[in-house]
Amino acid sequence: MTDTRALRVVVLAGGISHERDVSLRSGRRVVDALDAAGHDVALRDPDAGLLPFLADHRPDVVFPALHGSSGEDGSLLDLLAALGVPTVGSTGAAARRAWSKPVASSLVRDAGIAAPESVVLSHEAFRELGAASVLRVVRKALPGDVVVKPASGGSAQGVTIVDAPDELPRAMVDAFTYDDVAIVENRIFGTEVAVTVVDTADGPVALPAVEIEPTTGIYSFQARYNAGETTFYAPSRLSADHAAAVADAAVLAHRTLGLRDLSRVDFIVDEQGTPWFLEANVVPGLTETSLVPLAIEASGTDASRLYDGLIRRAAARG
């Protein structure tokens, strides 16, 4: 029998990460969607009063919309599990696998998904071994254009595309601003897409890929969250074969990393149709300019219906 009762839901948004404002926008959108589905929804910041509140006033389900370390490094998810509160999304262990971009890339590469060649550098090693010496080795190992990014984090913060050797030192400084570990990887040229994966009763399903075309050519933080700075195509303009390949790769990445309920996996699809893994997001953006809502709309459903299914599956897990 289908459960149609209204659930008491706490949506978590805000936090203290660099992505606080984006998280609040995502959280408000989730609240609006679940409210439209008839649920009793409250929005809360993950502050010092959160855990006592959840222990004393147990909701039927928690829906995290926390971006950055406060929601995606697995810590809060472990605590929610320890409290026994049903929660939408991945486990803490799975979140940690996806949160670390080097770990995620290694795992999906072992599963057969293409991932760019890279060098991973800690800030400590960068200082101790000498920046000039380290960068000479990096340039020799990775000739041509590279992408420098923090080993964790989202929304393209601290990410730089480097197409001239003298730009690399500054790019490293920018990446280390957001994380003590940075990745330098070969730049893959092609079509940038994001694939939303949703767990269903029949297993994980990829929604139509969303193609990303920034007006500046770079999908920066500003391009992600300022209306008009990026053109999105939902579904993407990929050929049917290439779209099928990237959908299969997204589902395989979702399974390989042990993700649950909802994820977004980002790729570059090259001219040959090979999907190159960039990263996986366990708490993807859900704002008015985010990719997941575009994919949901392109799939022919609506956010209220999809989020309703997510919270009911989480509540049923107990």
Side-chain angles (χ1 to χ4, degrees):
M1 183 175 179
T2 302
D3 185 4
T4 59
R5 66 189 176 95
L7 300 179
R8 291 178 297 108
V9 184
V10 171
V11 176
L12 300 180
I16 58 174
S17 80
H18 299 293
E19 299 176 73
R20 174 179 172 81
D21 290 343
V22 177
S23 171
L24 287 170
R25 288 164 59 185
S26 288
R28 293 183 189 110
R29 297 272 292 188
V30 174
V31 168
D32 290 344
L34 291 176
D35 185 65
H39 298 288
D40 178 8
V41 194
L43 182 70
R44 281 197 65 102
D45 219 310
D47 54 24
L50 175 64
L51 298 180
F53 171 81
L54 293 176
D56 295 338
H57 307 280
R58 297 177 64 84
D60 294 310
V61 65
V62 169
F63 194 128
L66 292 161
H67 310 316
S69 58
S70 59
E72 297 183 75
D73 68 0
S75 301
L76 179 59
L77 299 175
D78 277 349
L79 289 168
L80 293 174
L83 279 175
V85 179
T87 303
V88 171
S90 296
T91 64
R96 281 185 286 277
R97 288 191 287 270
W99 178 245
S100 171
K101 292 180 175 69
V103 170
S105 292
S106 295
L107 291 171
V108 301
R109 185 184 289 114
D110 289 345
I113 301 171
E117 292 298 319
S118 63
V119 175
V120 180
L121 297 167
S122 70
H123 199 183
E124 183 177 1
F126 193 69
R127 292 195 307 266
E128 288 184 352
L129 299 175
S133 297
V134 168
L135 294 182
R136 277 196 297 271
V137 173
V138 170
R139 293 306 311 184
K140 186 175 181 180
L142 302 172
D145 292 1
V146 296
V147 179
V148 181
K149 57 189 179 183
S152 62
S155 294
Q157 293 182 312
V159 177
T160 306
I161 294 176
V162 177
D163 54 16
D166 61 356
E167 297 172 353
L168 187 54
R170 178 64 194 181
M172 298 299 300
V173 171
D174 289 346
F176 285 135
T177 300
Y178 291 92
D179 198 303
D180 287 335
V181 178
I183 308 168
V184 185
E185 65 183 24
N186 279 332
R187 183 183 183 186
I188 305 299
F189 291 88
T191 302
E192 186 168 1
V193 297
V195 184
T196 299
V197 180
V198 181
D199 280 347
T200 72
D202 299 320
V205 173
L207 302 187
V210 178
E211 181 180 343
I212 301 157
E213 189 179 73
T215 56
T216 63
I218 300 173
Y219 195 37
S220 63
F221 182 88
Q222 290 74 22
R224 289 166 187 253
Y225 300 111
N226 293 334
E229 294 200 18
T230 302
T231 301
F232 300 104
Y233 298 91
S236 72
R237 297 173 295 178
L238 295 172
S239 70
D241 288 345
H242 293 179
V246 78
D248 289 345
V251 170
L252 178 56
H254 181 93
R255 290 184 183 276
T256 298
L257 297 173
L259 307 184
R260 188 176 68 184
D261 290 342
L262 178 70
S263 71
R264 196 194 76 226
V265 191
D266 300 340
F267 295 91
I268 298 287
V269 182
D270 66 20
E271 290 184 354
Q272 290 72 43
T274 300
W276 291 83
F277 174 85
L278 299 180
E279 63 180 279
N281 301 268
V282 298
V283 186
L286 302 171
T287 75
E288 65 279 3
T289 59
S290 295
L291 301 163
V292 170
L294 292 173
I296 293 171
E297 183 178 357
S299 72
T301 186
D302 61 52
S304 291
R305 181 178 177 185
L306 190 143
Y307 299 162
D308 176 79
L310 292 179
I311 64 168
R312 292 192 186 282
R313 279 191 291 275
R317 280 197 301 264

